[in-house]
């Protein structure tokens, strides 16, 4: 809707807010002429079923306990007879649209609207017509239905009102009613009175305690302060005692006030009933105490017209905005849907677009650390999750450097190896075979850790890749199975390559002892500075038997005095060498792993994924995916149809309001 239309709505609403309502005015006044165009707009929106789009309309909802006199009140307002009888008379929501006809058009016009058809009727047969329509909607018997029935009454002297009359509340099923009749009625009532746009017209019988009425309990659940509840008290002539106190003390929070009325009796005409009502509240000693602004059908009519105008003026600008917002959102969603594909060339183009979009998303989350597409899904913040996995891997490897300093263990492994590798060569010389034996043993202990990391990383990447691919081809469900297979196959191949690579890395570390990293010599030299202190402890039995070494802590070494000096010195030297070199090994395992994974991810996103996906969809075993894209899936077709219907409905709603505003402007001119 154009901005000018919204301004027209605001202007008319402003005028309506400036109109006052005289409680003693006749049943029909010029006030109706001002509200009629907007009421027509709301009625037309209701006919279009705009509420199905989640846009609530201002509605006067009539509720009351069974036999509270609802029908009598509505008959008096409309000047027609409604169905009467035992049990529930209203079995479907009855939308009553009353429209005052000018004096020169005195012939009333009545018709019913339901199931997309219009049934003309007249005052003499309207009750029968409603019964027949109700049976068609809700079936024979006493069951109820949520499907509404609309009754349009165009008649001189009626107020311009639209109300929804709901089934009367009953707790005990009788006369063939469903066992859950109370629950069914409650659900219908709550559906209508819960929206903030609804005005609740609560019909109460003067013969009962208001606080015990089920309709009061229901309205208080959704309108605790009573600010949108108006009460009409029927049968005032049957129970006048204490009625004044009931409607003035307001123990049940009726924010919009009370109106007391007298029900039409027997064969009284509506004019006769109104005259009798006026005499009753004028002459009855108890009822005459009630203020005249709170009694009579004319007062009720004016109050309802006024309340209706206020709720429409309050809600209409918001309704216009909601229609615009919903229409724009649906149009955007419809435009985002893939166009209907009619050729293999178009299908291939669409599939290439899916691959391209998927690659871009994966580059963002797997390589560049951008997660604007998944701001709230931490599992899709991939660079952070991969860094966590690598850090945990590094920490796990570092735990292998912890030295067991308990009594009797320090250097024992080295001494044992030296004993087994001794040969005929120069004394005090660390055999390389001994060094490699210790190194290989340490590498073997951690050899499973890199393989476990590879499994964790590629399992995670498989979930991410599958999620991204499924997201970008969600409109092509016929491709889901082949796309999922492609992701699984691709990741399986990458995982196998990575596993082979890390096993090779482990084997290389076991093969030889080599590094050009200067940190090795620096650290070994620093550790060997403890050699003199170690020698003194070994030679001087008066010295304590613990030695503090950086990176080792306090070590018990007393047990080593039992070994020859040359063996001790060789073992100490080899321990320091293996400690310095092990740090290089661990750094190499972590750094090489990180570089390998970064390269693998780049290759996956850059070239391997595209090749795998095209191969999968074109495969003779699992092929036909491109051709299947020519057949729009039922879910996509259903979504497209739903959006198209919604867009049409909202555009029609937009036009309704625009036409009403144009008509108002023309009449004003």
């Amino acid at each position: 809707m154009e901005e000018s239309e919204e301004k027209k709505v605001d202007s008319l609403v402003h005028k309506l807010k400036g109109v006052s309502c005289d409680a003693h005015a006749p049943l029909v006044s010029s006030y109706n002429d001002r509200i009629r165009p907007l009421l027509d707009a709301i009625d037309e929106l209701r006919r279009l079923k705009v509420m199905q789009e989640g846009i609530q309309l201002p509605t006067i909802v009539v509720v009351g306990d069974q036999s509270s006199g609802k029908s009598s009140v509505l008959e008096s307002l409309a000047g027609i007879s409604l169905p009467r009888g035992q049990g529930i008379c209203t079995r479907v929501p009855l939308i009553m649209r009353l429209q005052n006809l000018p004096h020169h058009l005195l012939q009333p016009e009545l018709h019913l609207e339901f199931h997309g058809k219009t049934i003309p009727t007249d005052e003499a047969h309207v009750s029968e017509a409603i019964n027949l329509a109700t049976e068609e909607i809700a079936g024979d018997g006493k069951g109820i239905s949520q499907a509404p029935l609309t009754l349009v009454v165009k008649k001189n002297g009626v107020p311009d009102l639209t109300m929804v009359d709901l089934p009367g509340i009953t707790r005990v099923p009788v006369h063939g009613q469903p066992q859950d009749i109370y629950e069914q009625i409650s659900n219908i009532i709550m559906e209508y009175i819960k929206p903030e746009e609804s005005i609740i017209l609560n019909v109460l019988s003067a013969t009962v305690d208001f606080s015990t009425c089920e309709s009061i309990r229901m309205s208080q659940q959704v309108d605790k302060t009573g600010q949108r509840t108006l009460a009409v008290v029927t049968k005032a002539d049957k129970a006048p005692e204490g009625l004044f106190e009931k409607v003035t003390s307001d123990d049940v929070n009726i924010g919009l006030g009370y109106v007391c009325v007298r029900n039409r009796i027997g064969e009284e005409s509506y004019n006769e009933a109104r005259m009798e009502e006026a005499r009753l509240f004028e002459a009855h000693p108890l009822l005459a105490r009630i203020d005249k602004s709170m009694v009579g059908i004319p007062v009720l009519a004016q109050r309802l017209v006024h309340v209706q105008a206020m709720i429409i003026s309050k809600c209409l600008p918001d309704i216009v905005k909601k229609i615009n917002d919903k229409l724009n959102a649906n149009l955007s969603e419809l435009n985002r849907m893939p166009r209907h594909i009619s050729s293999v060339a178009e299908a291939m183009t669409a599939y290439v677009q899916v691959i391209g979009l998927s690659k871009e998303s994966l580059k963002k989350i797997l390589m560049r650390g951008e997660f604007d597409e998944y701001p709230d899904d931490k599992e899709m913040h991939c660079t952070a999750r991969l860094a966590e996995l690598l850090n945990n891997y590094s920490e796990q490897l570092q735990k292998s450097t912890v030295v067991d300093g308990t009594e009797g263990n320090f250097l024992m492994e080295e001494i044992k190896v030296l004993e087994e590798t001794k040969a005929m060569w120069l004394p005090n010389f660390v055999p390389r075979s001994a060094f490699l034996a210790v190194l290989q043993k340490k590498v073997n202990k951690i050899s499973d850790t890199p393989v476990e990391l590879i499994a964790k990383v590629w399992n995670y990447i498989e979930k991410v890749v599958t999620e991204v691919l499924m997201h970008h081809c969600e409109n092509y469900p016929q491709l889901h199975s082949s796309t999922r297979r492609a992701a699984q196959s691709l990741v399986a191949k990458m995982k196998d390559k990575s596993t082979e690579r890390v096993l090779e890395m482990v084997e290389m570390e076991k093969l030889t002892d080599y590094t050009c990293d200067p940190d090795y010599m620096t650290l070994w030299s620093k550790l060997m500075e403890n050699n003199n202190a170690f020698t003194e402890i070994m030679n001087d039995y008066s010295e304590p038997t613990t030695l503090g070494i950086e990176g080792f802590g306090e070590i018990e070494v007393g047990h080593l005095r039992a070994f020859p000096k040359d063996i001790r010195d060789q073992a100490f030297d080899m321990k320091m060498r293996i400690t310095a070199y092990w740090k290089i090994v661990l750094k190499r395992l972590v750094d090489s792993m990180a570089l390998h994974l970064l390269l693998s991810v780049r290759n996956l996103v850059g070239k391997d994924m595209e090749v795998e996906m095209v191969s999968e969809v074109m495969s003779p075993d699992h092929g036909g995916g491109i051709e299947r894209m020519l057949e729009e899936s039922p879910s996509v077709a259903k979504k497209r149809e739903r959006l198209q219907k919604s867009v049409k409905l909202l555009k029609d709603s937009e036009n309704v309001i625009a036409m009403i505003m144009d008509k108002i402007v023309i009449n004003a001119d």
Side-chain angles (χ1 to χ4, degrees), residues 279-309:
R279 279 195 290 267
L280 174 69
F281 288 107
E282 187 70 36
H284 194 284
L286 296 178
L287 300 179
R289 298 172 60 196
I290 303 174
D291 192 278
K292 296 303 177 284
S293 65
M294 297 173 61
V295 298
I297 289 295
V299 168
L300 175 62
Q302 285 300 124
R303 187 82 64 86
L304 288 173
V305 169
H306 178 71
V307 168
Q308 178 179 250

Side-chain angles (χ1 to χ4, degrees), residues 137-425:
I137 296 171
D140 297 334
K142 301 294 182 179
I144 64 173
S145 171
Q146 292 185 336
L149 168 64
T150 299
L151 170 62
V152 178
V153 178
K154 298 180 180 180
K155 183 179 178 181
N156 178 253
V158 300
D160 281 289
L161 283 173
T162 296
M163 301 171 289
V164 180
D165 181 26
L166 299 180
I169 304 166
T170 178
R171 279 194 168 275
V172 181
V174 294
H175 305 298
Q177 293 172 348
Q179 289 300 310
D180 62 343
I181 188 67
Y182 172 75
E183 288 74 16
Q184 290 188 38
I185 294 175
S186 296
N187 291 338
I188 294 176
I189 291 176
M190 295 303 288
E191 179 184 341
Y192 275 88
I193 68 174
K194 190 173 182 179
E196 290 293 324
E197 294 82 359
S198 294
I199 294 297
I200 305 169
L201 179 60
N202 212 319
V203 181
L204 308 170
S205 173
T207 61
V208 301
D209 182 353
F210 296 166
S211 63
T212 65
C213 293
E214 189 67 18
S215 60
I216 287 291
R217 188 188 69 81
M218 288 186 182
S219 63
Q220 287 179 339
Q221 287 181 14
V222 298
D223 183 28
K224 297 185 184 300
T225 61
Q227 62 181 355
R228 53 189 183 88
T229 301
L230 171 66
V232 54
V233 183
T234 64
K235 306 178 184 179
D237 53 328
K238 302 294 183 183
E241 294 80 7
L243 184 57
F244 173 78
E245 289 74 18
K246 281 184 179 181
V247 298
T248 53
S249 62
D250 187 22
D251 295 330
V252 290
N253 290 335
I254 304 296
L256 296 178
Y258 294 81
V259 177
C260 302
V261 299
R262 170 189 177 274
N263 295 41
R264 186 167 64 96
I265 299 174
E267 298 300 321
E268 287 179 343
S269 68
Y270 291 104
N271 286 332
E272 290 171 346
R274 192 174 302 164
M275 293 172 61
E276 289 297 324
E277 180 183 61
R279 279 195 290 267
L280 174 69
F281 288 107
E282 187 70 36
H284 194 284
L286 296 178
L287 300 179
R289 298 172 60 196
I290 303 174
D291 192 278
K292 296 303 177 284
S293 65
M294 297 173 61
V295 298
I297 289 295
V299 168
L300 175 62
Q302 285 300 124
R303 187 82 64 86
L304 288 173
V305 169
H306 178 71
V307 168
Q308 178 179 250
M310 291 303 99
I311 191 66
I312 290 177
S313 65
K314 175 184 176 182
C315 296
L316 192 58
D318 192 44
I319 291 172
V320 172
K321 183 178 183 302
K322 286 179 179 178
I323 289 174
N324 288 338
D325 292 346
K326 184 74 173 179
L327 177 59
N328 291 334
N330 284 358
L331 284 172
S332 297
E333 188 174 0
L334 192 60
N335 291 333
R336 285 196 301 270
M337 292 189 68
R339 69 183 187 279
H340 185 67
I341 296 173
S342 58
S343 69
V344 173
E346 289 181 356
M348 182 57 79
T349 300
Y351 191 59
V352 169
Q353 288 177 345
V354 168
I355 296 175
L357 292 171
S358 300
K359 286 175 64 175
E360 181 58 30
S361 293
L362 289 172
K363 284 179 181 178
K364 291 170 71 175
I365 62 177
L366 279 173
M367 299 172 64
R368 299 201 296 265
E370 302 169 7
F371 46 83
D372 53 287
E373 294 181 18
Y374 303 91
D376 301 319
D377 189 351
K378 291 187 176 181
E379 277 299 299
M380 300 299 284
H381 301 175
C382 302
T383 52
R385 302 293 79 79
L386 290 173
E388 288 174 357
L389 288 172
L390 192 67
N391 290 338
N392 292 337
Y393 164 69
S394 177
E395 291 172 5
Q396 195 172 352
L397 290 178
Q398 293 300 330
K399 290 177 182 178
S400 67
T401 63
V402 176
V403 177
D404 186 359
T406 57
E407 186 174 354
N409 286 324
F410 185 62
L411 299 186
M412 292 308 296
E413 181 181 3
E414 287 76 13
I415 290 173
K416 182 179 178 181
V417 171
L418 286 168
E419 289 285 352
E420 295 302 318
T421 57
K422 61 186 176 183
M424 292 181 291
W425 45 44

Side-chain angles (χ1 to χ4, degrees), residues 420-463:
E420 295 302 318
T421 57
K422 61 186 176 183
M424 292 181 291
W425 45 44
L426 292 174
N428 199 29
F429 179 78
V430 178
R432 190 160 182 254
S433 58
F435 186 89
L436 287 176
V438 175
L439 175 63
Q440 289 168 359
K441 188 175 181 180
K442 290 177 74 66
V443 172
N444 284 333
K445 284 183 179 179
I446 57 94
S447 61
D448 289 339
T449 305
V451 177
E452 291 170 357
L453 173 67
I454 288 298
K456 291 178 183 177
V457 166
W458 285 111
N459 287 344
Y460 171 70
I461 291 177
E462 180 179 337
K463 292 180 182 178

